[in-house]
Amino acid sequence: MGNISDIIEKYLQQMLAASDSGMVEIKRSELADEFQCVPSQINYVISTRFTVEKGYLVESKRGGGGFIRIRRVRLQSQKEYFADLLLHIGETIPQLTAEHVLSRLVGDKLLTEREAVLIKSIISRETLQLPLPIRDEVRARMLRSMISILFGKLGG
């Protein structure tokens, strides 16, 4: 059994998978009660595990009738998917954000776990021993290049 964040993430992903609309709406306090944790734990899971880079849109309304709406983004074509990935990579990308992009590719079955591990190794701060912000610029260039090769191979 994983830690509480892993359990909450898995629960929310199962809810999303079961949803016909690809969207779930939850109440932070109700979910916190269900998992016997503080509401800030729910915030943490959503803000770190359900990011745009991982292919999710999150809307939130605070207050008594507040909710959190999580929607899995599904782009219509490979061309749109490719453009969206390049947009999120940008001219610079920190390591964690790059790893989220790779996680999204694995989740969407466009990259194997093995390929993701290889790319993570190549773009890691341990490999790119350069000062910031140069390291994030080089990482972005490398990731954009690898993504372009991947989508070229897919014919997208």
Side-chain angles (χ1 to χ4, degrees):
M1 193 160 180
N3 68 38
I4 188 71
S5 294
D6 294 338
I7 294 167
I8 295 168
E9 175 188 16
K10 187 173 182 117
Y11 175 81
L12 290 171
Q13 286 177 339
Q14 288 171 343
M15 286 180 66
L16 279 164
S19 166
D20 292 333
S21 65
M23 178 194 75
V24 295
E25 194 170 292
I26 58 165
K27 291 199 177 271
R28 185 183 349 257
S29 59
E30 290 175 8
L31 198 56
D33 288 345
E34 186 170 334
F35 287 99
Q36 298 180 346
C37 66
V38 294
S40 62
Q41 182 74 43
I42 305 302
N43 291 344
Y44 170 78
V45 170
I46 291 170
S47 66
T48 60
R49 313 279 177 104
F50 294 90
T51 63
V52 171
E53 297 85 10
K54 289 185 175 182
Y56 297 97
L57 289 178
V58 177
E59 299 171 60
S60 173
K61 180 180 175 233
R62 296 193 180 268
F67 62 85
I68 297 173
R69 185 177 297 140
I70 304 170
R71 179 173 298 148
R72 181 80 171 135
V73 177
R74 295 277 183 220
L75 299 171
Q76 297 303 315
S77 69
Q78 285 188 351
K79 188 174 182 178
E80 279 184 309
Y81 192 97
F82 175 69
D84 185 62
L85 281 176
L86 293 181
L87 177 71
H88 285 101
I89 293 169
E91 296 300 313
T92 66
I93 189 167
Q95 184 169 332
L96 184 60
T97 305
E99 290 175 0
H100 287 176
V101 168
L102 294 173
S103 174
R104 177 179 177 184
L105 287 166
V106 169
D108 290 342
K109 299 190 182 355
L110 294 172
L111 202 63
T112 66
E113 287 285 348
R114 184 173 187 223
E115 291 166 334
V117 168
L118 177 63
I119 294 171
K120 280 181 194 177
S121 172
I122 292 168
I123 63 172
S124 74
R125 67 180 60 90
E126 290 79 19
T127 302
L128 301 174
Q129 293 187 1
L130 299 165
L132 289 172
I134 295 168
R135 180 172 60 217
D136 289 351
E137 291 171 13
V138 170
R139 180 182 294 116
R141 286 182 191 175
M142 293 173 72
L143 192 55
R144 278 196 316 270
S145 177
M146 288 183 271
I147 298 291
S148 296
I149 290 167
L150 170 71
F151 275 85
K153 177 180 77 178
L154 294 173

